[in-house]
Amino acid sequence: MANDRPRVLSGIQPTSGSFHMGNYLGAVRQWVALQETHDAFYMVVDLHALTLPQDPRELRANTRLAAAQLLATGLDPERCTLFVQSHVPEHAQLSWVMECMTGFGEASRMTQFKDKSSRHGADRTSVGLFTYPILQVADILLYQADQVPVGEDQRQHIELTRNIAERFNGRYGETFTVPEPYILRETAKIFDLQDPTVKMSKSSSSPKGIIDLLDDPKASAKKIKSAVTDTGSEIRFDPEQKPGVSNLLTILATLTDVTVAEVEQKYAGKGYGALKTDLAEVVSEWAAPFSARTREYLDDPETLDSLLAEGAEKARSVAAETLAQAYDKVGLLPGKH
Ligand code: AMP
Ligand code: TRP
């Protein structure tokens, strides 16, 4: 891995069994592409998952499942560093320093926190959910990442990261790279099939609104065929007037590696039915080998765990160096090492 390449870092939560099409098209697909051109660090953010109640056995299983799915999409441990966040203790350590650099008001403005806390109610809202974005700040800054490939819903957290990095650098001298979000316009937000005005989301969409990558292809086909489409019958990319059709066009174009304009042209004069049938087929063709590969990785947990251990070791060598610098800059006395 050439070290003069720009660095990218991103993470995904192990909070549900299967990734969905929004995770894949909005983020993970870019991760796979970027490992060819960037020094890439990707992680399963199990510490972030703890911000909401988790069954310990399920969390363990979902963490392996998330790693298996990442490998199945094409992440290659020879070309990127793939690891589990809690295996690198520096994340929690730098997070504390960053918490002390973040204003209470600043953290209170994070919209994802406001959404989640209002959904779960004050009784189930932990302090960890509140400081979640600051752990994310630490995740990114530890690796001196130049770019962070994510979906649109994460833009505010990257902006917070930039602000805190600049504040730290201003106060203590150049320490952290100020990262840029890497968000592809077309797939920045994949929408719920049943309500194409809101994002596809494991926590808020109904099951019928989500294309789960590990779903039985027949189940996905059924969901796609019953996707809410718009009035009229013309197939046209127009997210304002035709959010349902536009969402299907985006998914189809991206999965088949063509532009939305090309798909639009192909379906000119055809009905919504033809578009849905073809999309269901494309999704099924994509998902079947993906599911099979995921299963193979899960069937060999020892190999999976050792890949993750190697990833953590590589990640840790970078993270430890950054943490030591940050500790020193703020005036913490060096310890034994
Ligand atoms: P999460 O499942 O919340 O850990 O999200 C993992 C990644 O998927 C993040 O980069 C999100 O921005 C991205 N993502 C999640 N839902 C969507 C969506 N509906 N459209 C585009 N990107 C998404
Ligand atoms: N908060 C991100 C999400 O919900 C996950 C995440 C945690 C992340 N740490 C990160 C993404 C660091 C990018 C970089 O999707």
Side-chain angles (χ1 to χ4, degrees):
M1 216 175 331
N3 276 337
D4 50 359
R5 292 175 168 196
R7 188 168 283 165
V8 290
L9 170 127
S10 198
I12 187 162
Q13 295 199 63
T15 40
S16 72
S18 175
F19 293 168
H20 60 68
M21 201 49 94
N23 298 137
Y24 178 61
L25 298 183
V28 177
R29 197 163 190 273
Q30 281 64 266
W31 301 10
V32 178
L34 289 166
Q35 66 181 346
E36 308 301 339
T37 49
H38 288 63
D39 185 15
F41 287 76
Y42 302 124
M43 63 185 161
V44 180
V45 292
D46 54 349
L47 296 176
H48 277 103
L50 293 179
T51 54
L52 295 173
Q54 300 290 335
D55 173 77
R57 267 206 288 166
E58 258 177 49
L59 178 59
R60 254 187 298 273
N62 283 338
T63 301
R64 285 207 182 93
L65 181 54
Q69 290 178 87
L70 290 175
L71 291 162
T73 60
L75 290 189
D76 174 358
E78 301 280 315
R79 297 214 206 75
C80 69
T81 304
L82 175 65
F83 64 103
V84 173
Q85 185 187 33
S86 66
H87 293 174
V88 181
E90 285 79 2
H91 290 255
Q93 293 174 290
L94 185 65
S95 184
W96 176 253
V97 177
M98 295 306 163
E99 280 180 40
C100 297
M101 306 233 11
T102 308
F104 189 82
E106 191 175 27
S108 306
R109 285 194 289 276
M110 295 295 113
T111 54
Q112 202 170 54
F113 169 73
K114 288 195 250 179
D115 286 354
K116 286 192 187 176
S117 56
S118 67
R119 207 155 350 108
H120 295 286
D123 290 350
R124 287 184 71 224
T125 298
S126 66
V127 175
L129 190 65
F130 183 66
T131 57
Y132 171 118
I134 309 172
L135 177 58
Q136 185 168 352
V137 168
D139 293 342
I140 298 168
L141 298 185
L142 267 181
Y143 297 90
Q144 308 286 12
D146 298 292
Q147 287 171 313
V148 186
V150 284
E152 182 61 39
D153 59 356
Q154 295 301 310
R155 189 185 291 278
Q156 197 186 28
H157 293 166
I158 315 301
E159 200 48 46
L160 177 72
T161 309
R162 292 173 56 82
N163 291 338
I164 294 180
E166 279 167 1
R167 187 173 310 151
F168 192 105
N169 290 346
R171 218 175 268 178
Y172 301 109
E174 270 317 298
T175 309
F176 293 113
T177 302
V178 180
E180 301 278 345
Y182 180 94
I183 301 174
L184 295 190
R185 194 175 42 83
E186 269 183 357
T187 51
K189 198 166 175 185
I190 300 297
F191 295 90
D192 184 314
L193 297 180
Q194 288 299 311
D195 178 0
T197 61
V198 302
K199 71 167 182 179
M200 187 180 284
S201 153
K202 58 194 160 204
S203 49
S204 55
S205 300
S206 75
K208 282 181 73 186
I210 305 180
I211 305 175
D212 274 319
L213 303 184
L214 292 172
D215 246 357
D216 169 36
K218 284 203 198 86
S220 297
K222 209 167 145 196
K223 290 182 190 177
I224 291 166
K225 286 181 183 160
S226 58
V228 167
T229 31
D230 316 289
T231 50
S233 58
E234 194 193 352
I235 295 187
R236 180 161 49 86
F237 185 76
D238 179 348
E240 294 282 307
Q241 303 299 320
K242 290 180 163 272
V245 170
S246 302
N247 192 37
L248 300 181
L249 288 172
T250 300
I251 299 172
L252 184 57
T254 316
L255 283 180
T256 52
D257 275 318
V258 297
T259 63
V260 166
E262 284 171 284
V263 184
E264 219 180 2
Q265 218 171 26
K266 182 170 167 200
Y267 288 92
K270 295 190 185 159
Y272 293 160
L275 172 64
K276 288 178 171 179
T277 305
D278 290 357
L279 178 59
E281 202 173 301
V282 165
V283 168
S284 151
E285 272 169 23
W286 185 88
F290 166 79
S291 297
R293 280 195 299 275
T294 303
R295 233 171 293 119
E296 277 171 34
Y297 285 110
L298 288 177
D299 283 345
D300 186 359
E302 274 171 32
T303 304
L304 185 60
D305 288 356
S306 86
L307 284 177
L308 294 173
E310 282 170 37
E313 203 178 316
K314 280 202 275 172
R316 212 173 165 188
S317 67
V318 177
E321 195 182 315
T322 313
L323 181 74
Q325 280 170 20
Y327 269 17
D328 181 55
K329 289 272 172 84
V330 301
L332 300 178
L333 202 59
K336 233 163 78 192
H337 300 289

